[in-house]
Amino acid sequence: MPNRSSKTAGSRSESVYSGLRRAIIEQALMPGDKLTEDVIGERFGVSRTIVRAALAKLNAEGLVDVQPNKGATIAQPSLSEAHDVFEARMCLERQVLARLAERITDRDIAMLEQHVALEAKANAHDGPAAIRLAGEFHILLAELSGNGVLARFVDEVVSRCSLILALYSRPHSSDCSINEHQQIIEALRARDAARAMKAMDHHLQAVTDRALLSSSSDKHRDLRAILDRYAS
């Protein structure tokens, strides 16, 4: 059985992984940002070995690029890869809704409505949280579908889409996404799978249209200051 020290190391690595992943999803860390092991270890209070384990997990999810002798950076998906990710996401989420329309309960509907209310509240004063919550709406749909494998794939592809949005997005109002999420809920309330999938197709196409435009980012960013929010 694993000893206590290995369990503690695993817990610390998971904490670093979760903090960095959230910083990526909320677009605090941007594509191309260099992830210095010493800085991450300092901010999270862990060893470089623990940092490397967290970075390896993020690398496996396509969120971080780790190059031998060059260190780690936030991944910078190509435009072609971005199109492929969004295409895969549309296929996955259509299947989620096909399953969910057959099994959704009134309690599930209430959970989705509560989540959209959180999105609306965050949209008014907390941009990073609004970005994260918008993605988590889709993850919640997948979890409610009852297929754990499907939910895991959706979780990963939504995270990669957040990275793509940071790299290839233009400014837009989150109100659009909130309204589109409400349309999906209304279709599910009616247990209308075809309508729900049509609403999702429209929503993801709108997200794609907003995303796949070139943009530049500020390269002079302070990793220590960014991580302070996510290391607690």
Side-chain angles (χ1 to χ4, degrees), residues 70-92:
K70 292 185 179 179
T73 58
I74 303 301
Q76 300 182 78
S78 67
L79 196 57
S80 175
E81 182 182 352
H83 280 287
D84 289 346
V85 169
F86 272 94
E87 181 180 358
R89 177 176 177 178
M90 190 168 290
C91 293
L92 288 169

Side-chain angles (χ1 to χ4, degrees), residues 23-24 26-34 36 39 74 166 216-227 230:
I24 294 168
E26 293 187 357
Q27 299 177 8
L29 290 172
M30 300 290 283
D33 280 351
K34 185 172 178 58
T36 308
V39 174
I74 303 301
S216 59
S217 61
D218 180 6
K219 299 296 183 182
H220 304 287
R221 293 152 51 74
D222 184 349
L223 181 59
R224 289 178 175 82
I226 292 169
L227 292 181
Y230 297 92

Side-chain angles (χ1 to χ4, degrees), residues 156-168:
E156 180 176 328
V157 79
V158 166
S159 299
R160 295 183 72 179
C161 284
S162 295
L163 188 64
I164 291 164
L165 286 166
L167 186 59
Y168 295 111

Side-chain angles (χ1 to χ4, degrees), residues 86-157:
F86 272 94
E87 181 180 358
R89 177 176 177 178
M90 190 168 290
C91 293
L92 288 169
E93 298 221 47
R94 284 177 63 87
Q95 182 59 29
V96 164
L97 293 177
R99 284 180 57 88
L100 191 51
E102 296 177 351
R103 58 180 290 135
I104 197 164
T105 66
D106 290 342
R107 182 181 178 185
D108 294 337
I109 293 290
M111 289 177 62
L112 291 168
E113 289 177 331
Q114 289 169 5
H115 189 91
V116 170
L118 290 176
E119 289 184 62
K121 183 177 180 180
N123 189 41
H125 66 275
D126 190 343
I131 293 169
R132 173 174 50 81
L133 287 166
E136 288 178 353
F137 173 82
H138 294 264
I139 295 168
L140 177 58
L141 287 173
E143 290 172 346
L144 293 175
S145 77
N147 185 320
V149 176
L150 194 55
R152 187 169 70 249
F153 287 158
V154 169
D155 190 354
E156 180 176 328
V157 79

